[in-house]
Amino acid sequence: MKKYLPLLILPLLLLVSCKKAAEGESSKTITVGFSQIGAESDWRKASTLSIKEEAKKRGIELKFSDAQQKQENQLKAIRAFIAQGVDVIALAPVVTTGWDDVLKEARAANIPVILIDRRVDVSEDGLYACYIGADCTEEGRKAGRWLIENVGKQAGIAELVGTVGSGPAVERKKGFEEAIKGEPGLKIIKSQSGDFTRSQGKEVMEQFLKSPERDQINVLYAHNDDMALGAIQAIEEAGKKPGKDIVIISCDGVKEIFRQILAGKANCTVECNPMVGPYLFDVVETYMRGETIPPRVIPHEDVFDAKNITQEVIDGRSY
Ligand code: AHR
């Protein structure tokens, strides 16, 4: 990702901000167009709900578009939002590349774009105003560190990768590999995409468990909980014990993986916070008041395993 250069962008933001303030737009209903990736995981459904509920709470008009995991649908949606003259566009980009043209069109229309949850690779700075989302490389590192601290320095690892070309898939892989690179006994012996879905997580795990390397696999690192949940079924169907014969580490922190950890069928989840609605609309309202908005917002995230998951924690979780 191109580095965001606050000093270069600040004057632009101030200009845009001043314009909003001068037009006195704070009295009208704020309209936000939101292009969501899809509904591929429990995490994604929680993120959609958080944004819809927060918009409703604040009286913001939300134009919602579900791209069904296809970038072409996102490009169409953004162009439609520009044509409708929304105040702000929020985008959760399915992949990192291919956004330059449409972001330039939004900039030409003077509509700021706020990225949610996934980053983009763009050719110049200033094509988006703010990125609200996790540090997925750090999530990968946390998963790798948990493995070393809790399993040890010898393991055959199977990796379920997220959507090919998406920010979290690239970064969670990179961070994990970084964390284990000093340990030659920790080897990734299988690695394939399960597209962040439960069904493909199961399918790919089934293939792993039929491969010649099957008996060397004693750890699964899944880039999200849904793929891990699919893999748990595949492991059980293959007559093995998930959480014991194969240690399971994933990312997200959805309720169902918490239940599996409590039941001993999974071992660790690195949280990625989907409750971004309040963060998003704080930024939108700041912009609409004519104030400078932050270039980066990182929601708070923890690591969960059998040591800190209880039934109470599960009951208190909204997703
Ligand atoms: O971009 C965040 C990822 O996308 C989550 O880890 C995954 O569950 C979702 O589909």
Side-chain angles (χ1 to χ4, degrees):
M1 184 176 76
K2 278 261 177 187
K3 277 250 160 1
Y4 191 85
L5 296 176
L7 289 179
L8 285 180
I9 298 310
L10 197 59
L12 177 72
L13 288 176
L14 287 173
L15 273 181
V16 176
S17 307
C18 291
K19 180 180 170 291
K20 281 289 166 199
E23 284 172 359
E25 297 203 9
S26 56
S27 55
K28 79 166 180 71
T29 301
I30 300 170
T31 305
V32 175
F34 172 39
S35 171
Q36 175 62 294
I37 291 169
E40 74 282 3
S41 61
D42 284 359
W43 187 99
R44 182 70 49 205
K45 291 172 202 155
S47 147
T48 295
L49 200 65
S50 165
I51 289 170
K52 284 187 173 172
E53 283 183 357
E54 194 64 25
K56 200 168 167 203
K57 203 162 107 189
R58 298 190 192 207
I60 289 174
E61 188 188 336
L62 185 71
K63 292 179 186 293
F64 178 82
S65 172
D66 177 337
Q68 300 183 345
Q69 296 253 72
K70 291 195 176 78
Q71 185 179 35
E72 66 200 77
N73 292 341
Q74 296 205 284
L75 296 173
K76 270 188 219 147
I78 296 170
R79 291 194 167 108
F81 296 148
I82 295 171
Q84 289 158 22
V86 298
D87 295 302
V88 175
I89 292 171
L91 166 65
V94 61
V95 290
T96 53
T97 56
W99 300 103
D100 269 69
D101 289 349
V102 82
L103 293 179
K104 282 178 188 163
E105 290 165 36
R107 184 175 63 184
N110 210 12
I111 301 173
V113 175
I114 299 173
L115 297 182
I116 312 258
D117 125 58
R118 293 187 186 180
R119 65 174 180 84
V120 293
D121 287 326
V122 282
S123 62
E124 56 183 91
D125 294 315
L127 288 183
Y128 59 90
C130 172
Y131 168 29
I132 302 170
D135 178 345
C136 293
T137 309
E138 183 54 20
E139 289 171 355
R141 285 189 205 106
K142 285 179 186 169
R145 288 196 291 262
W146 188 93
L147 171 63
I148 295 169
E149 283 159 24
N150 294 275
V151 175
K153 300 182 175 185
Q154 292 288 331
I157 303 160
E159 181 184 29
L160 282 170
V161 177
T163 300
V164 174
S166 70
V170 174
E171 293 156 24
R172 286 174 187 164
K173 182 171 187 53
K174 181 172 172 270
F176 185 78
E177 286 176 353
E178 253 176 56
I180 65 166
K181 79 166 181 278
E183 301 297 343
L186 295 176
K187 292 195 177 72
I188 299 178
I189 50 181
K190 299 300 275 182
S191 180
Q192 199 178 312
S193 174
D195 206 18
F196 280 132
T197 66
R198 207 171 287 200
S199 59
Q200 288 194 52
K202 181 170 187 274
E203 249 170 60
V204 176
M205 192 67 202
E206 281 166 357
Q207 291 167 26
F208 289 167
L209 293 171
K210 286 181 189 147
S211 71
E213 298 85 4
R214 63 183 174 273
D215 292 331
Q216 297 163 41
I217 300 172
N218 58 357
V219 169
L220 170 70
Y221 169 47
H223 289 191
N224 83 342
D225 290 344
D226 271 74
M227 291 190 294
L229 291 164
I232 289 172
Q233 284 178 31
I235 294 167
E236 286 184 322
E237 284 170 20
K240 292 190 184 238
K241 289 195 175 79
K244 295 187 179 69
D245 298 332
I246 299 181
V247 169
I248 296 178
I249 305 166
S250 53
C251 298
D252 276 0
V254 301
K255 248 186 187 183
E256 190 49 32
I257 203 79
F258 277 35
R259 290 195 189 102
Q260 299 295 326
I261 293 175
L262 204 57
K265 293 186 179 187
N267 307 82
C268 169
T269 182
V270 177
E271 187 178 33
C272 178
N273 188 348
M275 308 307 279
V276 288
Y279 296 96
L280 168 62
F281 295 113
D282 278 355
V283 172
V284 168
E285 288 179 339
T286 302
Y287 164 73
M288 293 303 293
R289 282 195 303 271
E291 294 166 16
T292 304
I293 61 179
R296 182 84 167 93
V297 177
I298 305 182
H300 176 77
E301 298 173 343
D302 283 316
V303 175
F304 292 93
D305 60 14
K307 295 193 273 298
N308 56 359
I309 294 179
T310 59
Q311 191 55 48
E312 264 189 333
V313 171
I314 297 175
D315 294 343
R317 214 144 169 98
S318 63
Y319 59 93

